[in-house]
Amino acid sequence: MSRGRAMVAIVIGSETAGGILHRVFGYDAFRGEQSEIIDHVIGGGDAVVLMPTGGGKSLCYQIPALARPGTGIVISPLIALMQDQVDSLAGIGVRAAFLNSTQSAEQRAQVEAAFLAGELDLLYLAPERLTMPSTAALLDRGRIALFAIDEAHCVSQWGHDFRPDYLALSMLHERWPQVPRIALTATATKQTQEEIQQRLGLKQAKLFVSSFDRPNIQYRIAQKNQPLKQLLQLIREEHPGQAGIVYCLSRASVEKTAEFLVEEGIHALPYHAGLSTPVRAANQARFLREDGVVMVATIAFGMGIDKPDVRFVAHLDLPKSVEGYYQETGRAGRDGEASTAWLAYGLQDVVQQRRMIDQSEGDATHRRRLSLHLDAMLALCETVQCRRKQLLAYFGETSGDCGNCDNCLNPAESWDGTIPAQKLLSTIVRLERERNQHFGAGHLIDILLGRQTPRIDQYSHDDLSTFGIGSELSEAEWRGVVRQLLAQGLLAVRGDGYGTLVITESSNEVLKGTRRVHLRREPERIKTGKSRKVSSQSAVLPASAEPLFERLRNWRADQASRQNVPAYVVFHDTTLRELATRHPRTIDELRDVTGIGESKLERYGAELLELLSDQSPAAAIFN
Ligand code: ADP
Ligand code: ZN
């Protein structure tokens, strides 16, 4: 907070937003709608901003907070990340602080005094703190530049991160009607957007909706057969030594997966709500600070994690909604470099999720909502179309085929599965009508394949007229049929906890022949890793620049550990890459490098020039 403070405070006044972007953040140009949003808020307008993860939301309130008199108040649910956010800002000379329950009374008193003295550009608060009378009284006594409501989808019950404390934020407008408000989220469905506008009293606010496409992320959904092996292959073949997040549904599978990866020599750590707070904090810190850590986690992990170089996000279990899935996968590749979103999915996932919905607490409306979310997720898994096209369509965007998803890279065929579906459904109907029996997928497939298992003998199921009529498909193909019928609502899981299958109303249309069933056939070979798209900001590092890049990385790691901050707080990879390829020789040349603003120039400039001059081609020959 000390360095650069005077500098920032003096220059601001008549400086343009673009000037602040360059001087403080070290960037050349605004991205997407940043410029319009920033001008609107600097001018005192309210805004609702929908932008994907990595789109650059933070600048949309940080620059107006610097440009307007007073302190920008940022409401954020991410208490565990406030320290990193404040450290990051301090690193570029912005005067930021937070107030939350992790602080001592004395620390809080210091922050409050700084706020009242007008010495803060940004103040981060958790929503529950804001609604305390003492906090409101404090804010009344200082000068407020704006309110930024981060992760604004937390106000929505439709969404996946509902926080009751967010509902109270409607009071902001009532109590401080003159102060502009900007609500930001990376969750983009129409329902969520409308709930944000309505519940936060932002119906009059200007709405800024960006494209949600993340072209640098390759989307892939694989059939689950040996998930741990499949995961290991993904890491070893495509992302060795790189940072990633693996999402699992349960604590137990988090533990099991992390142990497996560690045994296989991968630097993996677990994260779930069953671990003690210090262990969770320590694992999160290692993920942020060390290079190439794989975090195996439940969805409790990840919101607000702004580590830019997460190279892959893997899901070992089916996410409950497309929103959640997109939000989680969006944590990959914030730096715009090529990244992978990989999901393994199988019959068991569908059975399990349907059962969880049946058994969930809450009323029929709630269960129906869960069911709609699951259906959309299943449709994404089973589509033969471009995954990205379908994802974006879910968020109301139209687009062409992307060329960077599994379905584009290895087109899957669609086939007419009406006859196999009829065979399966009539087996279920016969068992029920003729024998009053119900079974799960495994036994039904045994019947169709005409297998003489002990259970078939026990029940004399070889007497059924459908016994052995399904030999045109393999067992794996039959499992695919069952899974897809479940996904399409043409089969249901009975709520008995055994995964037994029953027909639905729509199944009758198939049995009568009035409805055809279209199924997806898995492509034989899976090509991956080719034709990766990366965003225009990223560059490929020439081999000659690699040694210098490595030296810069080591230097950065050393800086980060001395300051006890994540490496990206010192510099992003993009900045190191530019340094390694452009070889700046003077302070002025350094100033032109992305991510080097005045504060970092002052702090690291001389050291960097020395390090770079050591690496001049001439010096390299003699080393
Ligand atoms: P979000 O909050 O939308 O997920 P961030 O605000 O964390 O995204 O920004 C994502 C990354 O892009 C950050 O590393 C940020 O520094 C960088 N960034 C944002 N805006 C720009 C810009 N105009 N030029 C260059 N980099 C930018
Ligand atoms: Zn595609």
Side-chain angles (χ1 to χ4, degrees):
M1 203 156 105
S2 54
R3 255 188 201 241
R5 173 195 291 187
M7 186 174 62
V8 172
I10 292 163
V11 190
I12 286 175
S14 59
E15 196 179 17
T16 62
I20 299 177
L21 178 75
H22 190 67
R23 177 178 58 81
V24 178
F25 296 89
Y27 298 143
D28 295 338
F30 286 112
R31 278 188 194 159
E33 288 190 290
Q34 277 178 334
S35 178
E36 288 78 14
I37 299 166
I38 288 167
D39 286 347
H40 180 73
V41 178
I42 290 179
D46 291 339
V48 173
V49 173
L50 279 64
M51 211 185 255
T53 311
K57 285 186 285 301
S58 331
L59 288 187
C60 296
Y61 59 83
Q62 288 168 352
I63 291 184
L66 290 170
R68 288 175 58 88
T71 303
I73 308 295
V74 186
I75 295 113
S76 161
L78 312 168
I79 292 182
L81 296 168
M82 285 180 180
Q83 186 66 55
D84 280 350
Q85 285 171 322
V86 164
D87 286 346
S88 255
L89 288 163
I92 53 173
V94 174
R95 305 168 304 170
F98 60 81
L99 284 176
N100 70 30
S101 51
T102 66
Q103 290 163 307
S104 65
E106 202 183 342
Q107 286 170 321
R108 280 203 293 270
Q110 270 180 11
V111 172
E112 290 177 8
F115 166 70
L116 292 175
E119 289 170 359
L120 291 180
D121 300 312
L122 286 157
L123 175 60
Y124 287 78
L125 297 177
E128 61 274 17
R129 182 148 298 269
L130 181 73
T131 49
M132 288 166 33
S134 58
T135 311
L138 171 77
L139 294 187
D140 274 338
R141 288 189 289 140
R143 186 152 189 197
I144 309 171
L146 56 86
F147 287 109
I149 303 162
D150 205 6
E151 311 289 352
H153 62 280
C154 291
V155 79
S156 158
Q157 255 161 334
W158 164 263
H160 49 93
D161 273 328
F162 176 58
R163 312 264 169 133
D165 282 319
Y166 262 67
L167 293 176
L169 297 183
S170 58
M171 63 87 132
L172 292 179
H173 182 55
E174 286 144 31
R175 188 152 180 159
W176 296 281
Q178 309 304 329
V179 179
R181 291 168 303 149
I182 170 171
L184 310 102
T185 178
T187 298
T189 55
K190 193 88 187 138
Q191 286 97 328
T192 312
Q193 174 204 314
E194 277 165 8
E195 276 191 81
I196 291 173
Q197 288 172 302
Q198 189 216 328
R199 297 192 164 179
L200 294 178
L202 282 168
K203 279 191 171 159
Q204 312 298 324
K206 189 154 178 196
L207 183 64
F208 295 90
V209 184
S210 302
S211 165
F212 269 70
D213 191 12
R214 301 285 311 280
N216 59 313
I217 301 180
Q218 183 174 89
Y219 280 91
R220 284 164 28 205
I221 301 181
Q223 290 314 305
K224 195 189 264 188
N225 46 58
Q226 292 179 296
L228 290 180
K229 278 198 174 156
Q230 290 170 282
L231 173 68
L232 188 62
Q233 188 181 4
L234 173 82
I235 296 176
R236 286 211 174 128
E237 292 182 4
E238 298 181 53
H239 298 289
Q242 296 181 333
I245 306 175
V246 178
Y247 283 112
C248 304
L249 209 55
S250 70
R251 297 173 189 186
S253 56
V254 165
E255 292 288 347
K256 193 179 94 187
T257 308
E259 269 168 36
F260 168 80
L261 291 177
V262 168
E263 276 166 22
E264 295 292 337
I266 309 284
H267 189 359
L269 296 171
Y271 188 104
H272 58 72
L275 296 170
S276 69
T277 312
V279 171
R280 276 207 312 263
N283 287 0
Q284 174 170 300
R286 285 181 66 188
F287 176 72
L288 294 175
R289 281 164 175 66
E290 293 172 24
D291 275 334
V293 175
V294 174
M295 187 67 113
V296 186
T298 55
I299 53 167
F301 176 76
M303 182 164 45
I305 292 283
D306 52 7
K307 187 175 167 61
D309 57 354
V310 175
R311 290 275 70 86
F312 69 93
V313 170
H315 282 87
L316 286 186
D317 294 299
L318 186 69
K320 292 185 171 62
S321 71
V322 176
E323 279 101 322
Y325 170 68
Y326 203 61
Q327 182 93 260
E328 284 142 30
T329 55
R331 292 170 189 146
R334 296 170 80 115
D335 54 11
E337 314 255 335
S339 312
T340 308
W342 179 86
L343 159 66
Y345 146 84
L347 171 57
Q348 205 44 43
D349 286 299
V350 192
V351 174
Q352 188 185 17
Q353 294 262 351
R354 291 260 192 245
R355 188 158 63 212
M356 277 165 56
I357 293 176
D358 283 341
Q359 294 169 354
S360 77
E361 287 164 24
D363 55 11
T365 325
H366 177 65
R367 273 201 292 277
R368 193 174 141 64
R369 181 156 55 200
L370 295 177
S371 212
L372 287 174
H373 278 309
L374 177 61
D375 288 345
M377 191 63 222
L378 291 172
L380 176 70
C381 291
E382 300 293 359
T383 186
V384 294
Q385 284 193 10
C386 171
R387 305 269 190 210
R388 192 181 317 268
K389 199 164 150 176
Q390 180 138 341
L391 273 169
L392 292 175
Y394 186 77
F395 298 114
E397 261 183 71
T398 45
S399 66
D401 288 354
C402 75
N404 193 28
C405 73
D406 54 351
N407 283 350
C408 283
L409 293 168
N410 304 268
E413 285 166 30
S414 163
W415 61 291
D416 188 331
T418 311
I419 292 174
Q422 286 168 335
K423 290 178 178 174
L424 176 74
L425 295 173
S426 65
T427 305
I428 296 171
V429 171
R430 269 163 224 279
L431 283 169
E432 187 179 296
R433 290 214 191 115
E434 294 169 16
R435 319 222 175 166
N436 195 23
Q437 294 173 340
H438 297 93
F439 292 91
H443 186 66
L444 293 168
I445 294 172
D446 284 342
I447 295 174
L448 289 161
L449 290 175
R451 287 176 168 160
Q452 289 291 351
T453 66
R455 211 192 229 181
I456 297 276
D457 289 344
Q458 181 192 346
Y459 292 109
S460 304
H461 281 168
D462 43 3
D463 292 347
L464 287 169
S465 59
T466 57
F467 184 75
I469 60 165
S471 53
E472 74 274 26
L473 298 183
S474 68
E475 169 162 0
E477 286 169 323
W478 273 115
R479 290 183 75 82
V481 172
V482 176
R483 192 192 71 229
Q484 297 187 64
L485 292 180
L486 275 169
Q488 295 181 21
L490 294 171
L491 258 186
V493 180
R494 213 163 67 151
D496 58 6
Y498 296 104
T500 53
L501 299 174
V502 290
I503 63 163
T504 66
E505 262 177 53
S506 329
S507 312
N508 287 316
E509 299 166 22
V510 178
L511 283 166
K512 278 187 273 166
T514 53
R515 173 168 172 170
R516 310 223 52 94
V517 180
H518 301 284
L519 299 179
R520 172 190 161 95
R521 194 192 312 279
E522 296 313 317
E524 297 265 303
R525 285 171 307 114
I526 308 289
K527 290 183 277 176
T528 52
K530 297 213 180 74
S531 61
R532 292 283 182 133
K533 282 197 182 164
V534 294
S535 77
S536 54
Q537 308 111 34
S538 73
V540 183
L541 194 66
S544 59
E546 263 165 35
L548 179 51
F549 182 71
E550 279 313 308
R551 274 199 67 176
L552 287 164
R553 264 168 63 109
N554 288 339
W555 169 84
R556 177 179 69 178
D558 182 50
Q559 281 290 340
S561 85
R562 266 194 272 157
Q563 296 173 43
N564 192 26
V565 294
Y568 63 81
V569 167
V570 180
F571 282 122
H572 285 187
D573 283 359
T574 341
T575 305
L576 297 193
R577 202 190 322 277
E578 261 192 59
L579 288 171
T581 46
R582 286 172 54 174
H583 257 272
R585 311 224 162 256
T586 63
I587 289 286
D588 272 342
E589 284 174 15
L590 272 182
R591 190 175 272 121
D592 283 343
V593 173
T594 301
I596 305 191
E598 287 305 321
S599 177
K600 287 195 175 169
L601 196 65
E602 186 186 325
R603 185 160 186 175
Y604 305 120
E607 224 175 308
L608 280 177
L609 287 179
E610 200 180 307
L611 201 147
L612 290 164
S613 69
D614 266 4
Q615 286 291 306
S616 66
I621 295 171
F622 298 106
N623 274 342

